[in-house]
Amino acid sequence: MNDTTGAVGSPSAPMSNAFAQELKEKYGQVVLVLQGGGALGAYQVGVYQALHEAGVEPDWVIGTSIGAVNGAMIAGNPVEARLDRLNAFWRRVEHSPALAATSHLPPPFSTMLPNWTTITAGVSGFFRPNPLAFLGLNVPLPADAAGYYSTQPLSETLSGLVDFPEIKMGRTRLTVGAANVHNSTMRYFDSRDMELSVKHVMASGALPPAFPPVRIDGDSTGTAGFCPIRQSKRFLTTNRAETHWCSPCTYGTREAPSRSRCGRS
């Protein structure tokens, strides 16, 4: 199979051992597909860590919603800094030790206090309540502020953890997916074709009416995290890339995920 990384327009990420090199030679470019799912994004960090420790770095990361957030931190940092940046993000948005300790209380108290705290105060580094949105339908709000929560904290967090000029350099290709909130049409923003910014990642994670949509090129866009993972596989197929892709199998389960989906396109 021919190596297809030349289509990305840049050298592939470094491989640190024989296994990674063999994988590269056998399959061509390696693509990591990360779907949405909120806290399931923490599982994706473990998937990337396992690949990283095996010396396998993706040539191309495709993400939606929280997968776009994780994907931006992978593609937007040098290999040696990626895990640190991912861990920094997830430490920033976790509950305080005192609040986490309530998980040992009997139900429903084990979830009541953390949930109430999140609803009323938001999550540090991620989102905070938007008071104007709680004043009712008689308060006019622009589309990009029409959410019960403001995601400005997430924008600030990503700006500190993602080096967007690094993405622009193209060492690792990044594609993030979002949906047009008016007609549900999927749209992909690809670093190979355009310069990505924090707005593109935020658009992929917007979840109206909780999180406001993000306006891109005049269109209001929101999360594609609930679209099936096959949407991203279809994108791979239509781009005619011979790849080895790996996607954490996390959708639609309440138990800890135990496997990943891998395949060839």
Side-chain angles (χ1 to χ4, degrees):
M1 182 181 300
N2 294 329
D3 190 336
T4 60
T5 55
V8 180
S10 63
S12 60
M15 296 291 188
S16 63
N17 57 32
F19 165 73
Q21 188 60 41
E22 180 183 354
L23 184 68
K24 187 73 172 177
E25 293 174 355
K26 184 176 181 180
Y27 291 108
Q29 66 176 344
V30 176
V31 180
L32 180 62
V33 182
L34 303 173
Q35 69 182 82
L40 293 176
Y43 170 75
Q44 295 172 356
V45 177
V47 172
Y48 171 73
Q49 181 175 348
L51 292 171
H52 177 79
E53 291 174 351
V56 179
E57 296 294 335
D59 301 292
W60 184 6
V61 184
I62 302 175
T64 58
S65 194
I66 196 64
V69 172
N70 283 334
M73 285 183 281
I74 293 171
N77 284 288
V79 172
E80 63 274 12
R82 290 171 174 176
L83 275 178
D84 287 342
R85 295 292 190 273
L86 287 165
N87 288 325
F89 172 80
W90 286 97
R91 283 195 299 268
R92 193 171 300 185
V93 302
E94 68 184 2
H95 286 309
S96 67
L99 197 58
T102 63
S103 63
H104 299 291
L105 296 174
F109 304 104
S110 58
T111 57
M112 185 180 298
L113 185 57
N115 289 347
W116 180 250
T117 301
T118 299
I119 291 171
T120 58
V123 173
S124 176
F126 202 145
F127 61 90
R128 59 172 177 256
N130 177 15
L132 291 178
F134 289 90
L135 296 180
L137 298 177
N138 295 323
V139 179
L141 293 172
D144 54 3
Y148 289 113
Y149 298 93
S150 166
T151 52
Q152 182 60 31
L154 177 60
S155 177
E156 296 168 358
T157 296
L158 289 175
S159 295
L161 294 177
V162 179
D163 183 359
F164 285 95
E166 171 74 19
I167 296 176
K168 183 180 179 181
M169 291 177 67
R171 279 189 279 259
T172 301
R173 181 180 175 185
L174 175 65
T175 303
V176 298
N180 186 305
V181 299
H182 299 291
N183 55 29
S184 300
T185 302
M186 283 292 299
R187 182 176 178 185
Y188 292 95
F189 304 102
D190 194 330
S191 64
R192 186 182 63 176
D193 304 324
M194 65 181 70
E195 182 175 351
L196 299 188
S197 69
V198 68
K199 287 185 65 175
H200 296 96
V201 180
M202 298 286 291
S204 186
L207 183 62
F211 301 155
V214 177
R215 195 175 295 277
I216 303 289
D217 299 332
D219 293 326
S220 295
T221 54
T223 185
F226 293 116
C227 295
I229 196 73
R230 62 177 176 269
Q231 290 281 4
S232 291
K233 188 182 177 187
R234 184 180 300 120
F235 182 78
L236 286 171
T237 303
T238 57
N239 274 259
R240 297 180 180 178
E242 289 185 335
T243 65
H244 182 70
W245 58 273
C246 186
S247 168
C249 183
T250 59
Y251 193 84
T253 175
R254 299 183 62 177
E255 303 299 327
S258 61
R259 70 186 192 277
S260 295
R261 293 179 181 173
C262 294
R264 183 175 155 190
S265 298

